[in-house]
Amino acid sequence: RDKDHAPAFDRGGVAGNALWWTLEGAVKKARATGAPLLISGGIGHSTSLLATAVDAHPVYRKALAGQTSEARLLGDIAAMFLGLDQSRLLLEDVSTNCGENALFTRRLLDERGLAPSAILLVQDPLMQRRTDASFRQAWADATCPELVNWPVQVPRPGYRGGGIDDLE
């Protein structure tokens, strides 16, 4: 899928990662569709990478990159810089890995009585398949919502200029 097309969904979900453009794509979709956005991620293996990426960003570096969970940091960026109303954000901020992102997201949705029919899964493209599998496993004992995989951008590596490059 290209970065501007995603099928219908009633809940967007971003799994914590160090690629800020995945959040930008998810917020754009949430704003365009009116769907709430759930961001999942505590402090895990990519937290320091995310903090470094945010610190290097000319605008986002004003967020508190070193002082919060991935979900809270990404939620702050969504609200402060991308114009998403905080009332449309739902944060799961204790998971430490992909499997917990899915399990704790389901638990949070269940606790709030929310049963989306379709979730737009947004993740680092290299982790998209694992995220999908983790979410399917988290709902293994119940009817799983439709999972719409949308990594925002799919890298197309190729050989150019004497080295490997993204052909996009």
Side-chain angles (χ1 to χ4, degrees):
R1 299 188 197 281
D2 66 44
K3 65 181 180 176
D4 292 323
H5 175 70
F9 61 96
D10 57 356
R11 171 94 38 205
V14 176
N17 66 73
L19 305 173
W20 49 262
W21 48 264
T22 60
L23 175 69
E24 291 176 339
V27 168
K28 182 178 177 182
K29 288 296 173 201
R31 289 177 65 198
T33 62
L37 183 62
L38 186 145
I39 303 174
S40 180
I43 297 176
H45 68 275
S46 65
T47 306
S48 63
L49 299 172
L50 174 61
T52 299
V54 170
D55 284 341
H57 192 278
V59 175
Y60 301 159
R61 68 175 169 224
K62 295 174 183 143
L64 302 173
Q67 301 178 21
T68 189
S69 69
E70 293 176 20
R72 293 202 180 276
L73 177 56
L74 293 170
D76 285 349
I77 291 170
M80 293 168 54
F81 305 110
L82 301 176
L84 189 65
D85 189 302
Q86 280 195 307
S87 68
R88 295 189 40 219
L89 283 170
L90 187 58
L91 304 179
E92 179 287 299
D93 65 352
V94 294
S95 59
T96 63
N97 59 55
C98 191
E100 287 182 353
N101 288 152
L103 287 171
F104 297 170
T105 291
R106 179 178 176 194
R107 181 174 25 180
L108 181 63
L109 292 172
D110 287 350
E111 287 170 357
R112 304 240 174 147
L114 302 172
S117 60
I119 299 174
L120 182 72
L121 289 179
V122 180
Q123 175 58 291
D124 173 335
L126 298 176
M127 294 291 293
Q128 190 72 41
R129 290 179 69 187
R130 176 183 276 186
T131 300
D132 178 84
S134 294
F135 272 73
R136 290 181 193 287
Q137 180 63 36
W139 267 273
D141 66 335
T143 301
C144 184
E146 178 185 0
L147 300 176
V148 180
N149 285 285
W150 190 61
V152 181
Q153 175 183 341
V154 177
R156 291 186 32 223
Y159 190 76
R160 174 172 44 193
I164 295 176
D165 192 8
D166 186 357
L167 298 179
E168 287 291 321

